Amino acid sequence: MPEGHTIHKIAKDHGKLLTGMEVGVSSPQGRFESDAARIDGAILDKIEPHGKHLFYHWSTGEIGHVHLGLFGKYKIHRGDERPEPRGAVRMRLVSDLATIDLAGPTACSLDEPSVRKEILARLGPDPIKPRQKKQKMFDKITKSKRGIGDLLMDQSVVAGIGNVYRAEALFVCGIHPLRPGRDLDVAELEALWSTITAMLRKGVKDGRIITVERSELDIPPGKRIKRGEATYAYKRDHCMRCGTEIERLDIQNRTSYHCPTCQPH
DNA sequence: ATACCATGAACAG
DNA sequence: TGTTCCTGGTATC
């Protein structure tokens, strides 16, 4: 389920198991083989997330780049077991503490540092990180006639939001996804920024996307919130708050969800 | 057993 | 705008 929160959690969790150590790097599936050989046994200085991207800073000076896309997944095997790779493992990272397998990523490469710079240069601010330039996001939105639902999914406008957080942030802010960006006022932009910041950070903590307030759910405290009741509008048939039927739109070939009552055009 | 769809994005034309 | 790459859960038969 890779939106930005997943990537930040991975950076944090994997960092504890890999950084500052010699890491064995291989590619059981083969497609990362020659790159893996160049850093096999090097020290991993840090894993840096930005939006949905991960950058592996290796002691050789080269930088690994991973983007999970829709299907990419990591599997952690703690301890010193070295299980046979299951499925198409593109990259295997081995430290004294764990074996971590990467399968199905959209991107997995080893590059010169300039490549990282180019990628960061085309990404918008990451609401999970501190000291981000939210004004850059505001400027792009207010200069555009594209719909805000379209803009929020554009990683060069803001980095890390995917289809679930788009639907949920616009719902909480009461903004219709087709409102042109240039029609939003400052209060709405500020509300959007603080909403996505809080939502994605909570996602990192929870390890999943839960956007509904517990108090709005009719379940006992402490009980796990099921998938399907964790969102207000995303993939729901009826609005969590007012019961209106949720509308679906196709925006750039992705399904967008909104409540026509809570998010008037 | 099989089909289809999805929390993503690059690329062709 | 449509195609392509990748995997796995859910729906459908």
Side-chain angles (χ1 to χ4, degrees):
Chain A
M1 314 79 147
E3 295 196 28
H5 69 299
T6 310
I7 275 48
H8 280 258
K9 182 155 171 40
I10 286 167
K12 204 176 282 190
D13 295 349
H14 294 196
K16 293 188 186 122
L17 300 170
L18 300 173
T19 56
M21 303 171 217
E22 276 184 23
V23 178
V25 186
S26 58
S27 180
Q29 171 234 34
R31 283 177 54 183
F32 186 61
E33 185 111 58
S34 60
D35 284 335
R38 296 219 300 273
I39 44 171
D40 186 22
I43 292 179
L44 180 60
D45 294 324
K46 69 170 172 181
I47 304 174
E48 174 197 24
H50 191 97
K52 300 172 186 170
H53 297 254
L54 285 168
F55 298 103
Y56 291 75
H57 294 247
W58 295 99
S59 56
T60 62
E62 290 182 292
I63 298 184
H65 173 228
V66 168
H67 191 294
L68 293 180
L70 206 44
F71 312 122
K73 272 183 185 58
Y74 283 99
K75 172 74 187 162
I76 299 178
H77 307 272
R78 280 165 201 281
D80 39 26
E81 292 170 71
R82 302 284 177 258
E84 278 302 300
R86 221 187 295 273
V89 174
R90 183 81 59 89
M91 176 173 74
R92 166 168 280 197
L93 302 171
V94 178
S95 76
D96 288 342
L97 300 180
T99 297
I100 298 180
D101 287 342
L102 168 65
T106 284
C108 176
S109 61
L110 183 68
D111 310 300
E112 294 304 310
S114 60
V115 173
R116 166 181 166 276
K117 291 204 166 171
E118 285 157 20
I119 293 168
L120 288 178
R122 66 174 159 77
L123 290 174
D126 179 340
I128 296 177
K129 292 177 159 183
R131 298 179 300 280
Q132 292 290 292
K133 294 173 178 158
K134 63 181 179 182
Q135 193 58 44
K136 285 198 168 184
M137 167 178 134
F138 295 179
D139 291 345
K140 284 200 173 170
I141 291 173
T142 51
K143 273 194 294 189
S144 176
K145 59 182 182 190
R146 290 159 61 200
I148 185 64
D150 182 7
L151 290 163
L152 282 185
M153 292 274 282
D154 181 338
Q155 302 298 300
S156 70
V157 172
V158 54
I161 295 182
N163 207 13
V164 184
Y165 283 125
R166 159 174 74 177
E168 296 301 290
L170 288 175
F171 176 86
V172 167
C173 294
I175 300 173
H176 193 286
L178 294 182
R179 286 263 309 282
R182 62 183 178 197
D183 288 359
L184 299 204
D185 63 34
V186 181
E188 287 173 317
L189 292 170
E190 291 288 357
L192 260 185
W193 178 260
S194 64
T195 298
I196 58 181
T197 298
M199 272 187 181
L200 289 248
R201 288 180 186 176
K202 176 171 157 54
V204 178
K205 275 192 200 135
D206 294 342
R208 55 186 289 228
I209 301 177
I210 302 171
T211 56
V212 295
E213 293 287 338
R214 251 201 126 74
S215 57
E216 294 183 72
L217 282 172
D218 189 21
I219 61 165
K223 190 163 184 257
R224 185 185 159 84
I225 296 173
K226 289 197 285 270
R227 185 167 69 247
E229 62 184 12
T231 54
Y232 289 108
Y234 178 76
K235 269 198 183 173
R236 295 196 83 115
D237 294 329
H238 299 278
C239 173
M240 257 229 68
R241 289 220 173 113
C242 74
T244 304
E245 195 170 339
I246 292 295
E247 276 183 16
R248 300 174 181 217
L249 299 168
D250 188 302
I251 300 179
Q252 310 278 358
N253 291 317
R254 310 298 304 281
T255 307
S256 170
Y257 304 80
H258 71 277
C259 170
T261 304
C262 300
Q263 299 164 263
H265 200 313

